[in-house]
């Protein structure tokens, strides 16, 4: 034990902070504009804590939502949208199904593009309905909020914040196509900051760097299908020309569910606050049902298996392959699965409709975690120090898996191509090769050793923005430059012009001087020569 | 009052932290390698706090030091150096005298260069003596330290840390010539991050941007006279080729006495921790002597005047000009001055050999602060919300003054050119124009509103590095790239070669195709034509 390896110290401080400031007399009013799905789940803790500290929390959400539901610690205002909850549910489910189709690369790209186009048109229509709902928007204006807490993954929140002329705090993991870096003016050198989806580490080969550079160039256009309609909508509603970057760059503070135990160190900006692991702060004792499973597992312990909130069933053939592999390990496997049980399910494998993932991972008998490597799951694995077998499906999951793999904390498998043997071997490796446990424990210690808990940090910065009506002192002057000014192209051009101009004049002067000095002599000589002939 | 404008909250937490962890059983051992002068003064608080938390603190310093003295909370090991304390004192004093000489710009540059050359040769000789002192270095090796806390302003500490193969934490305000940015791989776009000594804001005109770009190019060479001998010394001692950047980039964490209330927001790196204001955390009640001055000042209150620890007397003519101006304001002026009193000193002006600057600035009757705008003084002004009249003398003082001026918190005067009227007017302006007080109070509120006190943060990160034997997870991969790889020049060259190659082949193919298609026809036509003639 070293002097101050006081894991619980910040926690204790956090608790003391609550005791000392249980609620305060002059409450402030926060408007929360979340994004549905797993994005919402990690935001709930912050809202609850802010309400405990005496602030008034108002959440606005479409009438058709999946995860966003009423709770005692905020008031929920729903606005009508031109789609149904079922359409949204189908869209989520389809994402899971599509992942398991053995399409060719081209087919996959075309299908994904079409799906993204369709889904984002649906979500955009919801945003447009909100912004054009005069009565609803007027009620927001009248509510006199102090600030907005928004998830900018879908930039409806940022438009509402601009419309209400309120300072905003963004809450997110990251934005696709480096939109977050552009909006914060945070440099992202393609030589060592891998772009999303490339699934490489920060130590790239030459060819990876070439790929990364091409991706960095392409990402300027890749997200247009989803994001540019929001710029058009914002320009219409705000009655001035607004680019997506203008819109997103108005955030006072960016709360990023990331840290440098999971992600690679890179340049950041002073208004970026890292709250990675906010979702796995506390584990609770598990229920009797799960305790019974764990106790029955004997010395071998358990393996937790979930593909996240969006994928709860998979094609039968794949399910049988997986069931076969799970049957071959001595551990008890708790598998979150809502489909019909595979016929070859072994005795050691228990299917459950839902499982308390973070609490189970925190149990000392948990030996491994089979995960789709969504960022929440990865942080729960890190927090609890559980080695992982990662089956990334879509989005940032491939990158998350790569990050854990390069740190020796897990093994990644391609869920489509893997065989039963691959999965069984991977599980045996992460459970029996001690290096995996050692590496994830090292990451866990680093991750949890911080001067202030991520939840307290998030609450602090939301309150900071409410107290000071924004954080303009953290806004870099880069926002006020054009792209060519930012890169000093005008200055470089000017200096080059001076250097070339000076060189040209010097050359002309020399040439003139030479002509004067040697030219005459030459002609004299010539004249002399011709005379002498 | 807003919900959570709890200025004292972090302070309270800091105190609780001390109470909860007064000392710990398994102490760690820290080697501290400071830089003499004002640099040392702000480090003392961190050392004291670390000792309180149970760690063993060993400070090494040259036998000839000015500010570094014995104290109960660390053990001081002195090493012999080939210069005397008096030489060092003369050198410091000369810096002050030189500032007040009315030299031409060229004279000033030449004198400064010569002085820097002479002083840095002296300091370097001290470092060389330390590193070649086999007995002393062996005693350091045997001491089995856990980490090094060093001020890298003079990079002797970083060499010792490398020699002992120990993780290090740097403690500094900034390094000249952007050496800190280079060593941390933190981008510093010249379009909006002003270089040292330019004294411009982050919103630059085109010509300022040109100047800044030229300075950014020049700074690659400007500091060579001071710093390159350390690279040579390090290469010799470590018996491998070491550049200054290699040496400095080995730091695990950079504790920077800066924040974005004083400095302009710019890209930063994850291992840069901002502890600006660490020197002005607590004000104590002032002594009876000073209390008497303050009480006698009546409704007009007092003005605090100090040109810092290095300049305590100035030429008589300038002193008389200043005394004249001070006599014209209704406030009582407390002037830290060790020279002979100016003959025209007014009754309201009290000369003192020393003053408790931070405590006086914290007194509610303090109306203004006349300062040389060293970074400690500036932070004391910000902490205590006192508008400033700034008389910058050298180093980063011009930049500090500019930063406060652009924020409307003070007025800058050129100490050589200013008249009595200028100083009297400036004082009247910052005292009577309410905007100055409002602006400095706004800065003060922003500066003091932080989730954790800078002292606790500094202590946390030193302990973090001791606990984890460094912080390699915060080290960007950029350190492992050459400069052309970092800027992707090889990748750009490769892609350009492909594009140009493809264009060349396409052009050749077209040309060949055209010749085949039209060339024959042309010749057929020609042949046909010539036949018909």
């Amino acid at each position: 034990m070293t002097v101050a390896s006081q894991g619980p110290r910040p926690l204790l401080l956090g608790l003391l902070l609550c005791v000392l400031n249980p609620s305060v007399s002059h409450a402030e009013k926060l408007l929360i504009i979340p994004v549905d799905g797993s994005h919402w789940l990690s935001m709930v803790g912050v809202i609850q804590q802010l309400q405990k500290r005496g602030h008034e929390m108002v959440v606005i959400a479409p009438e058709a939502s999946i995860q966003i539901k009423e709770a005692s610690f905020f008031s929920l205002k729903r606005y009508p949208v031109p789609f149904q909850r079922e359409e949204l549910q189908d869209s989520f489910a389809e994402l899971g199904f599509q992942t398991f189709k053995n399409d060719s690369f081209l087919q996959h790209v075309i299908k994904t593009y079409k799906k993204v186009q369709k889904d984002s048109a649906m979500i955009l229509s919801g945003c447009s309905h909100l912004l054009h709902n005069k009565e609803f928007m007027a009620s927001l204006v009248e509510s006199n909020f102090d600030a907005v807490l928004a998830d900018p993954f879908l930039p409806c929140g940022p438009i509402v914040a601009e419309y209400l002329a309120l300072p905003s705090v963004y809450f997110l993991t990251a934005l696709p196509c480096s939109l977050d870096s552009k909006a914060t003016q945070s440099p992202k050198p393609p030589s060592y900051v891998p772009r999303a989806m490339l699934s490489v580490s920060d130590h790239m080969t030459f060819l990876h760097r070439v790929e990364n550079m091409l991706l960095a160039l392409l990402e300027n256009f890749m997200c247009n299908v989803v994001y540019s309609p929001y710029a058009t909508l914002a320009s219409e509603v705000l009655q001035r020309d607004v680019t997506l970057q203008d819109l997103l760059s108005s955030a006072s503070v960016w709360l990023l569910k990331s840290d440098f135990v999971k992600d690679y160190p890179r340049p950041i900006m002073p208004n970026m606050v890292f709250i990675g692991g906010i979702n796995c702060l506390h584990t609770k004792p598990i229920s009797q049902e799960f305790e019974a499973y764990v106790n029955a597992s004997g010395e071998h312990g358990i393996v937790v298996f979930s593909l996240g909130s969006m994928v709860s069933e998979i094609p039968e053939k794949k399910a049988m392959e997986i069931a076969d592999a799970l049957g071959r390990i001595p551990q008890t496997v708790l598998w979150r699965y809502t489909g019909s049980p595979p016929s070859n399910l072994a005795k050691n494998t228990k299917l459950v409709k839902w499982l308390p993932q973070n609490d189970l991972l925190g149990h000392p008998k948990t030996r491994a975690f089979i995960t789709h490597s969504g960022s929440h799951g990865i942080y729960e694995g890190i927090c609890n120090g559980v080695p992982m077998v990662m089956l990334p499906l879509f989005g940032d999951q491939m990158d998350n898996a790569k990050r854990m793999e390069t740190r020796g904390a897990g093994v990644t498998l391609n869920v489509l191509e893997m065989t039963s043997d691959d999965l069984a071997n991977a599980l045996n490796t992460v459970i029996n090769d001690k290096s995996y446990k050692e590496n994830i424990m090292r990451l866990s210690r680093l991750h949890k050793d911080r001067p202030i808990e991520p939840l307290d940090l998030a609450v602090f910065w939301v309150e900071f923005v409410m107290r000071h009506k924004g954080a303009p002192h953290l806004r870099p002057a880069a926002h006020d430059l054009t792209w060519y000014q930012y890169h000093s192209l005008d200055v470089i051009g000017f200096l080059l012009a001076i250097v070339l101009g000076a060189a040209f004049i010097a050359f002309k002067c020399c040439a003139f001087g030479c002509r004067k000095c040697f030219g005459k002599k030459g002609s004299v000589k010539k004249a002399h020569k011709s005379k002498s002939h």
Side-chain angles (χ1 to χ4, degrees), chain A residues 450-504:
Chain A
R450 47 201 169 200
I452 182 164
E453 282 302 335
L455 181 60
D456 293 334
L457 202 57
V459 165
F460 173 85
W461 282 105
V462 174
E463 288 187 338
F464 185 98
V465 168
M466 293 198 286
R467 274 197 287 278
H468 301 283
K469 314 289 170 220
H473 67 300
L474 298 181
R475 188 177 170 80
H479 287 302
D480 305 315
L481 297 173
T482 62
W483 66 270
Y484 62 84
Q485 286 173 331
Y486 176 88
H487 293 288
S488 295
L489 298 185
D490 52 349
V491 170
I492 293 169
F494 175 75
L495 291 176
L496 268 183
I498 288 181
V499 170
L500 293 178
F504 180 74

Side-chain angles (χ1 to χ4, degrees), chain A residues 322-399:
Chain A
I322 290 174
D324 179 42
L326 300 180
R328 285 197 253 158
I329 60 167
Q331 283 73 24
T332 299
V333 182
L334 296 176
W335 181 2
R336 185 208 167 227
Y337 191 71
T338 60
S340 55
S343 56
N344 61 340
L345 199 73
K347 276 193 177 171
N348 73 332
T349 311
K350 317 290 172 197
L351 297 191
V352 288
K353 297 252 180 283
W354 174 87
L355 49 77
Q357 187 169 287
N358 192 40
D359 303 335
L360 277 173
L361 290 172
H363 198 286
K365 285 187 99 172
T366 303
R367 300 284 179 267
F369 178 27
I370 311 174
T371 171
H372 65 307
S373 53
S375 82
H376 288 176
I378 289 287
Y379 272 115
E380 290 177 358
I382 294 174
C383 282
N384 297 297
V386 181
M388 295 175 252
V389 171
M390 295 165 290
L391 313 176
L393 305 175
F394 47 75
D396 59 351
Q397 299 167 8
M398 282 77 174
D399 293 322

Side-chain angles (χ1 to χ4, degrees), chain A residues 175-461:
Chain A
L175 291 182
C177 303
S178 301
L179 288 172
D180 44 356
S181 301
K182 285 167 200 154
T184 52
Q185 296 284 357
S186 152
K188 206 173 174 179
S191 51
Y192 76 98
V193 188
R195 261 46 184 179
M197 316 282 184
L198 192 58
S199 303
V200 296
S201 93
D202 55 349
H203 285 86
M204 291 180 256
T205 62
F206 177 74
L207 284 180
H208 282 151
R209 289 197 291 115
V210 171
E211 281 183 79
N212 204 38
M213 174 64 95
L214 291 174
L215 260 180
L217 294 170
L218 279 175
E219 68 184 1
N220 292 319
F221 315 100
M222 269 160 62
C223 286
N224 279 355
V225 58
V226 177
Y227 288 95
S228 38
Y230 285 93
T232 314
L233 184 61
S235 304
E236 182 203 329
V237 171
L238 304 172
Q239 298 187 319
R240 56 184 162 91
D241 268 349
V242 179
T243 65
L244 190 68
Q245 190 169 328
D246 295 339
L247 195 64
L248 294 174
S249 71
S250 62
S252 297
V253 168
W254 293 66
L255 297 175
L256 292 153
K257 289 177 285 173
S258 157
D259 74 347
F260 299 101
V261 169
K262 175 167 99 55
D263 291 315
Y264 303 119
R266 62 172 199 277
I268 55 179
M269 297 301 282
N271 66 341
M272 290 162 75
V273 176
F274 291 82
I275 53 162
I278 194 168
N279 55 312
C280 54
L281 199 58
H282 311 291
T283 51
K284 296 181 296 292
I286 50 178
S287 69
Q288 276 194 331
E289 177 199 357
F290 287 102
E291 190 69 52
Y293 287 136
V294 175
N295 286 340
S297 69
E299 54 161 341
H300 291 296
I302 63 159
V303 167
V304 179
F305 178 12
S306 167
L307 294 178
S309 58
M310 281 157 88
V311 179
S312 58
E313 54 185 296
I314 55 180
E316 197 185 344
K317 188 167 164 270
K318 189 50 69 182
M320 284 183 69
E321 268 174 33
I322 290 174
D324 179 42
L326 300 180
R328 285 197 253 158
I329 60 167
Q331 283 73 24
T332 299
V333 182
L334 296 176
W335 181 2
R336 185 208 167 227
Y337 191 71
T338 60
S340 55
S343 56
N344 61 340
L345 199 73
K347 276 193 177 171
N348 73 332
T349 311
K350 317 290 172 197
L351 297 191
V352 288
K353 297 252 180 283
W354 174 87
L355 49 77
Q357 187 169 287
N358 192 40
D359 303 335
L360 277 173
L361 290 172
H363 198 286
K365 285 187 99 172
T366 303
R367 300 284 179 267
F369 178 27
I370 311 174
T371 171
H372 65 307
S373 53
S375 82
H376 288 176
I378 289 287
Y379 272 115
E380 290 177 358
I382 294 174
C383 282
N384 297 297
V386 181
M388 295 175 252
V389 171
M390 295 165 290
L391 313 176
L393 305 175
F394 47 75
D396 59 351
Q397 299 167 8
M398 282 77 174
D399 293 322
N400 292 335
K402 186 72 194 176
R403 277 149 183 67
M404 285 301 102
E405 201 180 53
T406 55
R407 285 158 168 95
V411 168
T412 308
L413 294 174
N414 180 324
V415 76
L416 292 179
E417 292 170 10
M418 72 174 186
T419 63
S420 300
D421 287 346
D422 294 336
L423 182 56
N425 289 342
L427 279 167
N428 279 321
T429 305
V430 302
I431 292 170
N432 300 322
D433 180 341
K434 281 184 181 169
S435 72
Y436 287 91
K437 182 69 183 176
E438 282 164 13
N439 287 329
I440 191 78
M441 284 308 294
R442 185 179 49 80
L443 294 184
S444 189
R445 280 192 300 274
L446 288 172
H447 169 74
K448 291 204 270 192
D449 194 1
R450 47 201 169 200
I452 182 164
E453 282 302 335
L455 181 60
D456 293 334
L457 202 57
V459 165
F460 173 85
W461 282 105

Side-chain angles (χ1 to χ4, degrees), chain A residues 35-42 65-68 88 92 309-310 376:
Chain A
V35 164
D36 202 4
S38 62
H39 285 237
W40 162 251
L41 299 175
S42 55
S65 305
I66 295 180
Q67 299 280 2
I68 305 172
L88 217 56
F92 272 66
S309 58
M310 281 157 88
H376 288 176

